[in-house]
Amino acid sequence: MDLKTKRLISLAVAIQAGCKDCMISQTSHAIELGATPAEIFETCSVAISMGGTLAWSKALVIAEYLRELEIMK
């Protein structure tokens, strides 16, 4: 398994754990390793499918972070 995939898996786990700092860190590392916004949001959707409404609210942290980086409008 490549490192980018491991970071995306870690992002899904961070969303489930509800750790904002972990979510930001894993997203940052995944981007550095070439993850696209589509891959990041696919990861978020997997976490949401497993965690429901609580995971959805946590995934919004990722969207805001990507907006701050100007990766997403």
Side-chain angles (χ1 to χ4, degrees):
M1 191 179 309
D2 64 31
L3 191 53
K4 179 179 79 170
T5 302
K6 289 178 184 178
R7 290 295 184 175
L8 291 170
I9 291 170
S10 296
L11 172 57
V13 172
I15 292 169
Q16 289 294 312
C19 175
K20 182 178 178 179
D21 290 339
C22 300
M23 289 185 280
I24 298 299
S25 176
Q26 295 305 327
T27 300
S28 177
H29 288 301
I31 290 168
E32 289 171 6
L33 293 167
T36 65
E39 290 172 317
I40 291 167
F41 285 120
E42 184 175 1
T43 300
C44 291
S45 71
V46 170
I48 291 165
S49 71
M50 297 300 294
T53 306
L54 292 176
W56 175 254
S57 66
K58 299 301 180 188
L60 293 175
V61 169
I62 305 305
E64 183 58 32
Y65 179 64
L66 293 177
R67 279 190 204 102
E68 288 175 12
L69 294 177
E70 297 182 358
I71 292 174
M72 186 183 97
K73 305 246 180 220

